Amino acid sequence: MTELAGRVTSLDGISAADDDAVLANGCQHVYHSQSSAIRDAARLFRDSDYHLEHITCLDLRSDEGGGLRLSYQFNVHGTSDRHLLLVDLAPDAHAPTIVDIFRGADWYEREAFDMHGVVIDDHPDLRRLLMPEDYTGHPLLKDFADADPERHIMAAPMSEEDEGDG
Amino acid sequence: MAETMELVPDATDPKTYYLNMGPQHPSTHGVLRIRLHLEGERILGADPIIGYGHRAHEKMAENRDYLQFLPNSSRVDYLSGMIYNLAYCQAIEHAIELDVPERAEVIRIICGELNRISSHLLWLGTFVLDLGGFTPFLYGFDDREKILDILDSITGSRLTYCYGRFGGVTMDVDDEFLRRTSDFCDYFKRRLGEFDELVTDNVIYQQRTKDVGVISSDLIQDYALSGPVLRAAGVAHDVRKTEPYGGYDRFDFDVPVGQRGGDCFDRHTVRMEEMRQSLRIIDQALACLPDGPIMAAKVPKRIRPPAGDHYFAVESARGHFGMFITSDGTDIPVRHKLRTPSFVNVSTMPVVLPGTMLADTVAILGSIDIVVPEIDR
């Protein structure tokens, strides 16, 4: 375990994931984290010259439980050293923002809100990123069903009379 | 939400107004809309509004097995589709620990680098076109056409290739392909000198790009910039060097960096130099192309990566393209996140654009080389 990894695991609410139980192919370090610890971890990576590669939201809900999960991935320039932070969210799907620590988190957090309905607390401008602003629902949820599929179909198809003088 | 649609001037300052650039503006190269807050022609604020080209690739990936997603991969970025297509194959091979024969690896590198040159050529042509120079566009497209013909001869398609397979490539290359590629390299080395005379040394071009749109080193860590935008800012970082994949560690090439602090001209010189380095790689690859099979002997019929997260990154023509695939051990991924470089580069615009002039917006947007479908996925 590197020195940085030791400092990450010493934070309250973060523990190193057991290598046998969690596979993270391509990442050197994996942690489980409480959502309350994200900001501390982000600050630590920021101070260590790491950058935020992406935030990915996953819908892991099933009959056996599970919920939404945010995966934060940090890396450094030079020799790759990926740290993956797995944050299992409570059923209300709230997570703190890290926009003030990494400005690049802005769009990733908006994407998590748009696609999975994760509410990012204290985000300065939490609105949809990819879907239209009047859209309802969160398309990347596993149980997503389009509330109004008719709306996305274009106006009436051409009738035979329309084709006449073309 | 209603506030963002307001086009009337800010009530507190009657001299300012909002202007929508796009989604059908020719300089946004696709359906990108940027909501600009202006005072005269000076930009006070910029808010990129994306999603017009959203095709739900990530949702599609969750509804089909790994092989069925293969044709999607090159559609993510239609200008360097080969790189994205091969990247997806490599990501899956990485996840299921499948080795690729050496010949297939070298063929992939040749095709990938050809595609990188064609992507940079299109960038060069359209970028100069945005700034008002029509001629280089025609020259750029002429040369790009030669690459498309070469790739067409082995893949059967011109833009959205589906040439990679898990464990190798679809079709072997023949002597004709190798001869044409080698001829193109010789020709294009001379041609790059002409591009330098026509574009790089052009005084008007230099005045439009030098000290314009500085994306400086202090944004690098904040946004995790990558690709030519990062290298123009002075950081010699290239995924092909830091995490050599697909046999790139066997080849000699340099990572060019900008000398002027990350302005539009830096991004131009970095890309020009990258094309030269791609030619170097192709030359070496042609010289050492080994004989042998182009597909791995034992490819599993059903692709089932072990349960867990798999991350794999490549250097696309635009920067760090990563795939974060979460598997539960079945045929269908739980999540397939596409971490695309243009997405990151465009997200810096609210910071980079304010303070510049409206005419420079075109130069700045062009210089970061956006591909809108790749932002929206």
Side-chain angles (χ1 to χ4, degrees):
Chain A
M1 185 180 281
T2 60
E3 192 250 331
L4 178 62
R7 282 165 64 200
V8 175
T9 46
S10 70
L11 292 170
D12 269 348
I14 296 185
S15 58
D18 187 356
D19 284 346
D20 297 331
V22 178
L23 171 75
N25 200 350
C27 296
Q28 280 75 27
H29 307 276
V30 199
Y31 316 94
H32 286 296
S33 167
Q34 311 270 324
S35 60
S36 57
I38 301 171
R39 290 178 55 82
D40 291 338
R43 254 186 233 108
L44 183 58
F45 284 114
R46 166 101 210 172
D47 295 340
S48 313
D49 286 334
Y50 278 60
H51 54 255
L52 174 73
E53 270 186 338
H54 66 87
I55 303 173
T56 297
C57 188
L58 291 90
D59 182 359
L60 300 176
R61 291 172 300 165
S62 68
D63 296 339
E64 292 93 58
L68 296 183
R69 168 187 283 179
L70 288 175
S71 301
Y72 294 73
Q73 189 172 305
F74 300 92
N75 198 1
V76 67
H77 287 132
T79 313
S80 180
D81 180 38
R82 290 209 170 83
H83 295 252
L84 183 66
L85 209 65
L86 306 176
V87 184
D88 287 312
L89 301 177
D92 65 348
H94 275 260
T97 183
I98 59 166
V99 167
D100 50 332
I101 302 166
F102 288 101
R103 278 187 282 184
D106 185 3
W107 281 18
Y108 292 124
E109 292 184 348
R110 279 175 61 190
E111 191 181 18
F113 166 70
D114 187 4
M115 291 294 158
H116 288 92
V118 178
V119 181
I120 309 288
D121 296 325
D122 299 323
H123 188 285
D125 185 22
L126 194 64
R127 56 195 158 97
R128 286 189 181 274
L129 181 71
L130 293 165
M131 303 308 285
E133 53 197 53
D134 58 348
Y135 195 79
T136 50
H138 303 284
L140 276 180
L141 290 176
K142 293 287 182 192
D143 55 3
F144 168 77
D146 199 336
D148 186 9
E150 294 288 321
R151 201 172 65 118
H152 306 296
I153 298 171
M154 290 176 69
M158 283 194 348
S159 64
E160 279 179 29
E161 289 99 66
D162 289 337
E163 288 171 16
D165 302 317
Chain B
M1 203 51 71
E3 188 269 332
T4 59
M5 292 299 289
E6 205 170 45
L7 286 171
V8 294
D10 186 355
T12 55
D13 186 353
K15 290 201 294 291
T16 70
Y17 60 103
Y18 288 93
L19 181 73
N20 273 314
M21 184 169 163
Q24 280 93 12
H25 191 283
S27 295
T28 56
H29 300 286
V31 278
L32 172 69
R33 171 175 149 215
I34 300 189
R35 185 171 162 274
L36 297 168
H37 187 195
L38 296 165
E39 181 187 15
E41 289 201 22
R42 184 169 299 281
I43 293 166
L44 302 176
D47 178 23
I49 295 165
I50 62 171
Y52 291 93
H54 179 55
R55 293 151 298 162
H57 277 305
E58 291 176 4
K59 186 74 177 177
M60 277 192 255
E62 293 175 15
N63 289 290
R64 57 196 63 198
D65 67 33
Y66 291 94
L67 186 61
Q68 286 173 319
F69 188 71
L70 188 57
N72 283 55
S73 56
S74 59
R75 270 83 176 167
V76 174
D77 174 355
Y78 56 89
L79 293 183
S80 53
M82 181 69 84
I83 300 177
Y84 284 71
N85 180 236
L86 297 177
Y88 178 60
C89 296
Q90 285 163 337
I92 299 300
E93 287 154 7
H94 180 244
I96 61 173
E97 293 177 6
L98 180 64
D99 285 329
V100 179
E102 206 181 326
R103 183 176 173 87
E105 279 197 335
V106 178
I107 293 173
R108 283 177 172 187
I109 284 174
I110 296 173
C111 295
E113 294 306 314
L114 279 174
N115 201 199
R116 190 183 310 276
I117 296 174
S118 79
S119 173
H120 282 357
L121 269 177
L122 186 129
W123 163 80
L124 181 68
T126 53
F127 179 50
V128 184
L129 186 67
D130 287 346
L131 298 179
F134 196 75
T135 319
F137 176 76
L138 300 173
Y139 282 74
F141 267 64
D142 185 24
D143 291 344
R144 176 170 172 267
E145 200 64 25
K146 293 182 170 64
I147 298 179
L148 298 189
D149 284 345
I150 292 172
L151 291 178
D152 188 3
S153 72
I154 51 162
T155 65
S157 35
R158 291 167 54 79
L159 276 183
T160 47
Y161 312 103
C162 193
Y163 184 53
R165 290 291 181 273
F166 304 143
V169 292
T170 338
M171 270 173 279
D172 204 351
V173 298
D174 54 7
D175 292 342
E176 172 74 6
F177 171 86
L178 299 177
R179 189 188 57 73
R180 287 172 75 181
T181 308
S182 155
D183 286 352
F184 173 80
C185 288
D186 294 340
Y187 158 84
F188 194 61
K189 269 171 220 149
R190 292 197 310 277
R191 193 72 159 181
L192 271 172
E194 290 179 30
F195 274 113
D196 275 339
E197 285 172 29
L198 186 66
V199 182
T200 316
D201 298 341
N202 185 307
V203 178
I204 303 173
Y205 181 75
Q206 292 191 8
Q207 285 177 347
R208 285 297 305 275
T209 53
K210 281 188 174 171
D211 301 323
V212 170
V214 177
I215 299 181
S216 59
S217 47
D218 57 318
L219 290 182
I220 293 172
Q221 194 198 358
D222 244 351
Y223 281 96
L225 296 174
S226 61
V229 177
L230 171 67
R231 293 189 280 277
V235 180
H237 179 88
D238 188 317
V239 183
R240 290 175 294 175
K241 285 278 191 197
T242 56
E243 309 166 60
Y245 57 89
Y248 269 108
D249 46 350
R250 290 202 295 270
F251 298 96
D252 271 339
F253 63 100
D254 300 325
V255 180
V257 293
Q259 309 294 332
R260 307 173 42 82
D263 61 7
C264 290
F265 193 69
D266 264 342
R267 294 193 275 281
H268 164 86
T269 47
V270 163
R271 287 202 185 88
M272 294 301 280
E273 186 55 32
E274 274 186 38
M275 288 198 265
R276 291 197 167 83
Q277 297 302 328
S278 291
L279 288 176
R280 261 180 83 186
I281 297 172
I282 297 172
D283 274 345
Q284 296 169 48
L286 289 173
C288 76
L289 181 66
D291 289 330
I294 54 161
M295 277 297 288
K298 265 196 176 319
V299 181
K301 283 218 164 48
R302 304 183 69 169
I303 308 291
R304 288 171 172 167
D309 299 324
H310 305 267
Y311 190 79
F312 189 81
V314 302
E315 185 75 23
S316 89
R318 269 149 275 283
H320 176 124
F321 170 56
M323 275 156 291
F324 184 82
I325 299 171
T326 303
S327 165
D328 57 358
T330 62
D331 293 90
I332 294 170
V334 176
R335 181 84 165 92
H336 187 166
K337 164 86 173 175
L338 303 162
R339 188 265 186 215
T340 52
S342 294
F343 180 88
V344 177
N345 294 343
V346 168
S347 73
T348 63
M349 287 300 107
V351 182
V352 174
L353 287 181
T356 64
M357 304 299 282
L358 182 57
D360 291 338
T361 306
V362 174
I364 297 166
L365 267 182
S367 74
I368 60 172
D369 191 15
I370 49 169
V371 169
V372 177
E374 189 228 50
I375 303 171
D376 294 342
R377 289 155 291 144

